[in-house]
Amino acid sequence: MIRTTPFHERTAAANVSGLWEHWSGYLVARKYDQSEKFEYFAIRNSAGLFDSSPLYKYRIHGPDAEAFLAGALARDVRTCAVGHGQYTAWLDDRGYVVEDGVIFRNAVDDYLLTSAEPNFAYFDALIGRARVTIEDVSEASAVLSIQGPKSREILACLAPEVAGLPYFGLTAATIGGADVTISRTGFTGDLGYEIWVPGDQALAVWDAVTEASEGRGVLPIGSIALDMARIEAGLLLLDVDFQSSRFAWTDAHRSTLIELGLGWMVRDLAADGRAFIGRAAIERELRDRTSRWKLTGLVFDWRDYDRHFDEAGLIPPKDHTPIDAEYYIYDDSGNQLGYATSQMYSPMLQRHIALARVPLDLAKPGTRVKMELAVSHRYEYFDAVVTRLPLYNPDRRTA
Amino acid sequence: MAKTKTPAPAARPASNGSSGSANGTDPITNLPDRRAGERTYDAIVIGGGHNGLVNGAYLAKNGLKTLILERRHLVGGAAITEELRPGFWFTTFSYALSLLRPEIIHDLELTKHGFMPLLMPSTFAPMENGDYLLLGQDHGENLREIARHSRHDADAYEAFNHDVLRVCRAIKPLLDQVPPDIFSTDPEELIALATLGSRFQSMDRKVVHDAVRLLTGSAADFLDDYFESEILKGYLASSSIIGTKVGPYSQGSGLVLLYHLLGEHDGEFGSWAFHKQGNGGFTKVLARAAQAFGAEIALESPVERVITKDGRATGVALIDGTEFHAPVVVSALDPRRTFLELVDPRELPTDLVDAIERFRFQGTSAKVNFALDGAPRYPALGDRTDQFRGFTNIGPSMEYLERAYDDAKYGWYSKRPYIDGAIQSTIDPDMAPPGKHVMSTFIQYAPYHLKGSDWDAEKERFGDTVQATLESFFPGFGDLVLQREIRTPLDIERTVGLSEGNIFGGEFLAPQMWLFRPAPGWSQYRTPIDGYYQCGSGTHPGGCVMGAPGKLAAGQILKDRARRGSTARTKVGAGA
Ligand SMILES: Cc1cc2nc3c(=O)[nH]c(=O)nc-3n(C[C@H](O)[C@H](O)[C@H](O)COP(=O)(O)OP(=O)(O)OC[C@H]3O[C@@H](n4cnc5c(N)ncnc54)[C@H](O)[C@@H]3O)c2cc1C
């Protein structure tokens, strides 16, 4: 039977839409009420509460933990101070991305790694003789994410510690009588926090946070609103924007770190002597320029978009519901250049946008490409402009 | 950490989407020095309402050194948001967004400056018997809700929407085009007319007929063709009287209805949004965009007159005597001020002066804004407050609206007025302290000319009438009121400058629209005075926070400049 998260009693009461989905074996709300767009605006204008409990969580600790992770993860975990976290990825030895996640450093030799899919065996197999223990603590804590411009002031009423918490910082706190850990992280590209709480105290935290949010326009948000926010923020989703190299059938379904636009994680390669998995491949890729494409943002030309539909006698649809499917990108002569993996109409940007892969020589911001979309049962070619990610990036996210 | 820190929002004037600065704490600061230095510009715009700002922004974007002169201490005109009580932000006049032309959002890059139209997830129409019509974002649920009132009206609502959408699709391009000049023999104008004619020719007959029925007929006739439910008709007909001295049974109300259905928001016709921090939040976004393109905005700079020389505009003089010079002067005020106050009517053709004197304003709308200690309660919905996340429409039947109009016909304000309520604080936390609310109520009818009395005398009694009506729908409403702000048509005229308090800068009547707005032969934003242009709501396509007049006028100014530039060049060439 499908599992429910520790917040279920509250999310079930709040979800009057009756729309749920299965995420990693758990029941989570798609939207709570009639409008996912309304929930999305809570993220951008107030704050949204999202139940991220289904994430996989691994505690990795022991005297060799730092050295172990420095070799297992692409981003240099040694630069992650105690009380901080890092968005990271792990690669195979050909430089293809296995998965991504956030790693938190709770103590010098004690880390917590999150991932979307199970990775226990993967990391366990890498331990060898290192003095490291990996524990699956996925069920030990529930995670309540609060995302949006008001998240800081609301949470600070409950936990003054967050007032000065830096981007990707981590702090212990007490909320609703529960001992929690708060990280300044999230999947919306906005100011936001995640509260990590033992499952049996989850409801107390939900209640305290909802009470503190009273009258401030805060809403529980479902997966659709989250998806909208993450596309604007250029945050990648496993099995939508990329596949795990472990389980892909061919290299056409694998992506390197550089190709995904995450090369900044290994920006300081020259200064960093780590021997991590995939390093040699990255160096080769950079040296020989073998990247097949780069994942970037696309912003549609709105005039051209409207024209296609106007000419077909239709009202141009401005549907914000994300489409997590492939669409193909062409040059003016009809040669296929790449493909898009996520697209939507962005209410904040007032444009249709997409996350897409294009060849390196076309990845320069400002380059014009064509995307194939169906209008009146036939394909037409829409003008779009390559745009640097994130497409929406408010200062408050990191400030 | 590897990630570099970006400076705090406060350190940056215009931040991408950050709402922190939306609270009105970012005044327009670059006042030009009036005493010394540069007082010569390429273009001067009189009036910092939204149309003046749009116009100035387009001119600046196209390289003109532009000065926008605003009489008051803040920009926005009718579209302002003011903190009248600490923590309570009132949308003093205009309160929602829909007709804004999408092109302007893109051309002026408004999303970079904080443009944020918040979705209104519901519309609430209370009834006098305690029942209600509550429409939301779920199409299927809406049809069930309508069926609760009339089984017939559920699919009739679909048919109505479909027919109206087809009309909107057909009419919409007119909002984005300079009206043709049917009196001109200029080949360019004849081509424009022919293009327009062929467009109509290719339209479906029913669409053309529906359009004409809406543009000339009454909302009641149109709605009666589809519906039987009083509440549904009352709700829809409410959009047919806004800002205009007509009742739903009057011929001409169809035009006002159509205008309101023509608005669009994220591609959805007839859909309205609250801009972040109200319509004043929106005009601040416009001001930031105009400044980003290089326009200068001067506050507290009331213009007394346009300076002319040999039939040409050469600049403006402020009331304090300061003069600014420019070959292009644009009035973003209403037609009465543009033609009868800013310039000497003796400089204008008599037929134009006559037409403007006949141009009907007769404002009939007022505002009463409340600071509330909590959300009102509607007995049938118990403790629910989510019904207030969009408009609250108090116009439960066409008869209710028509009776409200009856009072106005004979020179008095409605004893039981039509009320369009909006509690933006239910979805925008920066409008009021947590748990408290600001409620904007737009009222009709409140005729500018009261028979046997005046607005200064009637103001409070009028406020009491409105509050009593609200009390009758929301028992206990009065106990929630912390503060009440009454804005009569006279206040609108005095504060914003809109003549007779007409919210659209001139009534929405067929003889005052399109080719005839504001006067026959003068619908293309020019005036008989060379270099003097008009871009306020009294020009096509009219009032509402639409921006189209400002934008279309800028297009004409730029076109004229290009023409003049090329003739100048030709002359130089010929001389050489
Ligand atoms: C009560 C009310 C409610 C409304 N509600 C809505 C709504 O919800 N949605 C909507 O779309 N529309 C609404 N409208 C209509 C809409 O707000 C107006 O049509 C529009 O804002 C007018 O814009 P404008 O720029 O043409 O003129 P204005 O906003 O009138 O701007 C003119 C500006 O010129 C300035 N000025 C005047 N004289 C001088 C001078 N001599 N020198 C320098 N400056 C001068 C004024 O101070 C003002 O700032 C409403 C209007 C009112 C009054």
Side-chain angles (χ1 to χ4, degrees):
Chain A
M1 215 175 72
I2 194 73
R3 287 172 160 68
T4 56
T5 78
F7 296 113
H8 188 69
E9 220 178 300
R10 296 295 182 271
T11 55
N15 188 345
V16 299
S17 77
L19 292 175
W20 298 88
E21 70 181 34
H22 293 179
W23 172 28
S24 272
Y26 283 88
L27 197 59
V28 295
R30 274 183 72 66
K31 58 177 172 180
Y32 282 87
D33 208 334
Q34 291 183 343
S35 170
E36 61 279 351
K37 186 174 167 186
F38 186 54
E39 294 173 12
Y40 154 90
F41 272 119
I43 305 173
R44 295 293 182 229
N45 189 38
S46 170
L49 297 181
F50 184 77
D51 177 2
S52 332
S53 306
L55 283 176
Y56 283 91
K57 309 166 197 81
Y58 300 111
R59 181 175 172 216
I60 297 166
H61 59 106
D64 296 337
E66 185 189 81
F68 166 70
L69 289 167
L73 302 175
R75 191 165 170 195
D76 190 354
V77 80
R78 298 169 309 175
T79 63
C80 181
V82 173
H84 287 268
Q86 268 183 353
Y87 172 52
T88 189
W90 43 107
L91 319 178
D92 68 16
D93 55 1
R94 297 197 296 149
Y96 291 125
V97 174
V98 175
E99 227 181 284
D100 63 346
V102 174
I103 186 144
F104 296 104
R105 190 167 197 171
N106 286 310
V108 175
D109 55 0
D110 197 350
Y111 295 85
L112 186 83
L113 178 67
T114 64
S115 63
E117 292 293 330
N119 277 275
F120 189 93
Y122 177 83
F123 286 106
D124 195 46
L126 296 177
I127 292 177
R129 296 168 52 174
R131 292 165 302 161
V132 170
T133 311
I134 171 165
E135 283 173 68
D136 185 339
V137 293
S138 299
E139 276 94 60
S141 51
V143 185
L144 181 61
S145 183
I146 176 166
Q147 301 284 311
K150 298 278 172 216
S151 57
R152 181 188 281 139
E153 65 181 70
I154 289 168
L155 218 47
C157 300
L158 301 167
E161 297 88 341
V162 305
L165 196 64
Y167 191 47
F168 274 92
L170 200 60
T171 179
T174 310
I175 292 182
D179 290 329
V180 302
T181 304
I182 300 173
S183 57
R184 190 168 153 194
T185 46
F187 204 55
T188 59
D190 219 299
L191 173 67
Y193 301 85
E194 288 171 305
I195 308 168
W196 308 69
V197 54
D200 56 358
Q201 296 172 69
L203 295 182
V205 168
W206 178 283
D207 293 340
V209 172
T210 3
E211 197 185 321
S213 307
E214 202 62 51
R216 294 172 194 254
V218 176
L219 296 175
I221 59 160
S223 55
I224 307 176
L226 186 79
D227 202 12
M228 293 172 70
R230 71 98 195 162
I231 294 173
E232 286 178 338
L235 299 168
L236 308 185
L237 199 56
L238 180 68
D239 290 336
V240 172
D241 301 303
F242 71 102
Q243 282 184 39
S244 167
S245 79
R246 284 171 85 190
F247 308 115
W249 285 96
T250 73
D251 288 350
H253 297 267
R254 296 189 171 94
S255 314
T256 70
L257 193 70
I258 314 285
E259 288 169 345
L260 288 185
L262 301 176
W264 57 266
M265 282 192 189
V266 291
R267 202 189 288 121
D268 301 327
L269 220 46
D272 143 20
R274 286 177 307 138
F276 64 89
I277 303 170
R279 176 179 181 128
I282 288 177
E283 284 170 339
R284 256 196 323 274
E285 183 179 347
L286 291 174
R287 189 190 60 224
D288 301 342
R289 298 173 171 275
T290 54
S291 307
R292 296 161 296 176
W293 20 253
K294 185 176 175 196
L295 194 149
T296 182
L298 284 188
V299 175
F300 284 75
D301 180 317
W302 73 276
R303 227 182 275 270
D304 179 66
Y305 184 92
D306 284 9
R307 182 185 57 79
H308 280 280
F309 289 94
D310 280 337
E311 286 177 0
L314 301 171
I315 292 174
K318 308 269 162 86
D319 191 348
H320 56 267
T321 318
I323 304 169
D324 298 340
E326 275 184 15
Y327 283 84
Y328 302 106
I329 293 165
Y330 297 85
D331 64 15
D332 286 332
S333 329
N335 304 308
Q336 193 193 331
L337 302 175
Y339 58 99
T341 49
S342 293
Q343 55 154 316
M344 63 182 274
Y345 172 79
S346 158
M348 282 307 292
L349 301 167
Q350 296 278 300
R351 305 280 176 97
H352 287 84
I353 59 171
L355 304 181
R357 287 164 164 77
V358 294
L360 289 200
D361 54 329
L362 296 177
K364 224 174 118 235
T367 309
R368 301 190 80 86
V369 296
K370 298 266 187 201
M371 188 154 120
E372 179 182 76
L373 289 173
V375 178
S376 270
H377 317 295
R378 51 182 233 112
Y379 282 124
E380 297 204 6
Y381 299 87
F382 287 68
D383 288 341
V385 174
V386 171
T387 310
R388 199 186 306 279
L389 292 174
L391 299 175
Y392 178 73
N393 191 24
D395 295 340
R396 60 179 181 258
R397 173 191 202 174
T398 52
Chain B
M1 280 198 312
K3 201 114 203 193
T4 43
K5 283 250 171 70
T6 40
R12 284 194 188 178
S15 55
N16 179 8
S18 97
S19 63
S21 61
N23 266 351
T25 46
D26 48 355
I28 311 300
T29 45
N30 60 344
L31 297 166
D33 189 336
R34 298 209 194 134
R35 285 166 306 276
E38 206 52 64
R39 286 197 201 138
T40 304
Y41 292 83
D42 293 329
I44 294 171
V45 181
I46 308 168
H50 86 285
N51 276 316
L53 294 169
V54 166
N55 186 265
Y58 271 99
L59 295 180
K61 186 185 172 187
N62 284 281
L64 273 65
K65 185 172 179 231
T66 304
L67 172 66
I68 302 170
L69 295 167
E70 167 54 43
R71 181 174 54 100
R72 300 194 67 207
H73 62 283
L74 80 178
V75 294
I80 55 174
T81 308
E82 295 175 288
E83 188 182 23
L84 290 195
R85 184 187 177 87
F88 291 81
W89 292 81
F90 288 65
T91 44
T92 315
F93 304 107
S94 190
Y95 52 100
L97 207 59
S98 172
L99 278 135
L100 175 67
R101 307 321 301 147
E103 213 168 42
I104 294 175
I105 302 169
H106 301 297
D107 288 347
L108 300 184
E109 301 173 15
L110 300 187
T111 60
K112 281 189 189 163
H113 301 284
F115 181 69
M116 193 172 186
L118 301 168
L119 176 82
M120 289 182 178
S122 58
T123 300
F124 179 49
M127 291 161 66
E128 288 182 290
N129 66 2
D131 198 356
Y132 57 85
L133 176 74
L134 178 55
L135 300 178
Q137 295 293 308
D138 187 293
H139 182 69
E141 271 191 63
N142 287 348
L143 297 187
R144 296 278 176 190
E145 171 69 355
I146 291 169
R148 193 167 73 74
H149 295 279
S150 157
R151 291 181 185 284
H152 168 274
D153 285 0
D155 58 305
Y157 185 62
E158 300 267 70
F160 169 81
N161 278 328
H162 186 70
D163 289 350
V164 160
L165 272 180
R166 294 210 300 166
V167 174
C168 288
R169 222 184 80 78
I171 295 281
K172 182 177 108 152
L174 297 184
L175 296 183
D176 299 312
Q177 287 166 13
V178 174
D181 183 354
I182 52 170
F183 308 102
S184 161
T185 50
D186 181 335
E188 215 177 281
E189 288 300 327
L190 294 175
I191 292 169
L193 267 177
T195 315
L196 195 75
S198 70
R199 197 183 152 81
F200 275 104
Q201 210 175 26
S202 64
M203 276 182 205
D204 184 281
R205 283 177 203 176
K206 177 174 162 49
V207 173
V208 174
H209 195 221
D210 281 347
V212 172
R213 288 194 327 132
L214 278 165
L215 290 169
T216 62
S218 80
D221 283 343
F222 199 83
L223 295 171
D224 276 336
D225 282 349
Y226 293 89
F227 305 118
E228 58 181 29
S229 148
E230 288 306 326
I231 181 65
L232 186 58
K233 283 192 279 187
Y235 157 59
L236 292 169
S238 298
S239 297
S240 76
I241 60 168
I242 304 289
T244 313
K245 200 165 174 186
V246 292
Y249 293 107
S250 317
Q251 311 296 335
S253 54
L255 185 151
V256 184
L257 175 63
L258 180 60
Y259 246 80
H260 284 88
L261 297 169
L262 267 173
E264 75 185 281
H265 166 51
D266 287 341
E268 219 178 296
F269 280 104
S271 153
W272 289 74
F274 285 128
H275 191 275
K276 169 79 189 157
Q277 204 68 23
N279 278 357
F282 170 66
T283 45
K284 283 219 181 94
V285 168
L286 274 182
R288 287 198 284 267
Q291 289 177 314
F293 287 118
E296 287 177 38
I297 300 172
L299 300 174
E300 299 180 329
S301 306
V303 173
E304 186 180 34
R305 63 186 174 89
V306 174
I307 306 167
T308 59
K309 192 168 173 249
D310 306 329
R312 274 204 59 85
T314 59
V316 301
L318 302 191
I319 284 179
D320 68 8
T322 317
E323 293 189 0
F324 293 99
H325 301 281
V328 168
V329 175
V330 193
S331 165
L333 314 188
D334 71 30
R336 190 177 281 177
R337 297 190 194 279
T338 300
F339 292 108
L340 307 183
E341 290 179 17
L342 290 176
V343 294
D344 187 340
R346 281 172 304 186
E347 288 192 53
L348 302 172
T350 320
D351 61 344
L352 171 61
V353 175
D354 281 351
I356 298 299
E357 276 169 352
R358 272 197 310 270
F359 192 81
R360 298 186 79 80
F361 292 94
Q362 52 174 9
T364 48
S365 318
K367 280 288 298 278
V368 182
N369 300 313
F370 298 95
L372 299 177
D373 204 21
R377 239 182 134 264
Y378 193 68
L381 290 175
D383 289 329
R384 271 177 74 174
T385 55
D386 58 310
Q387 69 272 23
F388 296 122
R389 287 169 172 171
F391 294 134
T392 296
N393 194 84
I394 297 187
S397 64
M398 294 201 293
E399 188 179 326
Y400 179 104
L401 300 172
E402 190 71 19
R403 286 193 188 286
Y405 175 52
D406 285 343
D407 294 322
K409 253 188 312 206
Y410 305 112
W412 207 246
Y413 53 84
S414 311
K415 286 185 260 322
R416 258 176 98 67
Y418 162 68
I419 300 177
D420 188 21
I423 312 184
Q424 179 164 348
S425 50
T426 54
I427 68 166
D428 185 354
D430 291 326
M431 298 296 284
K436 314 279 184 220
H437 290 288
V438 278
M439 182 171 188
S440 147
T441 69
F442 177 87
I443 313 297
Q444 273 194 221
Y445 298 75
Y448 177 77
H449 297 288
L450 287 178
K451 198 170 180 175
S453 185
D454 61 67
W455 276 110
D456 287 329
E458 292 301 326
K459 191 167 175 161
E460 286 306 317
R461 269 195 293 275
F462 169 73
D464 293 343
T465 305
V466 171
Q467 195 169 321
T469 308
L470 287 165
E471 183 77 34
S472 73
F473 286 93
F474 307 104
F477 183 85
D479 300 335
L480 297 172
V481 176
L482 301 172
Q483 187 171 333
R484 183 171 90 180
E485 182 204 25
I486 304 165
R487 295 302 197 137
T488 69
L490 187 62
D491 295 322
I492 296 174
E493 180 178 61
R494 283 176 183 160
T495 311
V496 186
L498 288 165
S499 295
E500 298 184 22
N502 186 288
I503 72 166
F504 296 141
E507 275 202 304
F508 275 5
L509 300 171
Q512 301 195 162
M513 304 303 282
W514 199 35
L515 310 170
F516 307 111
R517 196 167 184 90
W522 299 105
S523 61
Q524 296 194 326
Y525 312 96
R526 300 187 185 94
T527 73
I529 297 168
D530 221 10
Y532 184 40
Y533 294 84
Q534 40 169 346
C535 80
S537 291
T539 60
H540 171 79
C544 281
V545 181
M546 178 150 41
K551 170 178 175 284
L552 293 172
Q556 296 292 79
I557 294 165
L558 294 166
K559 209 162 94 183
D560 289 353
R561 260 178 72 93
R563 234 181 244 155
R564 195 165 299 132
S566 60
T567 46
R569 268 197 301 280
T570 324
K571 274 186 203 143
V572 170

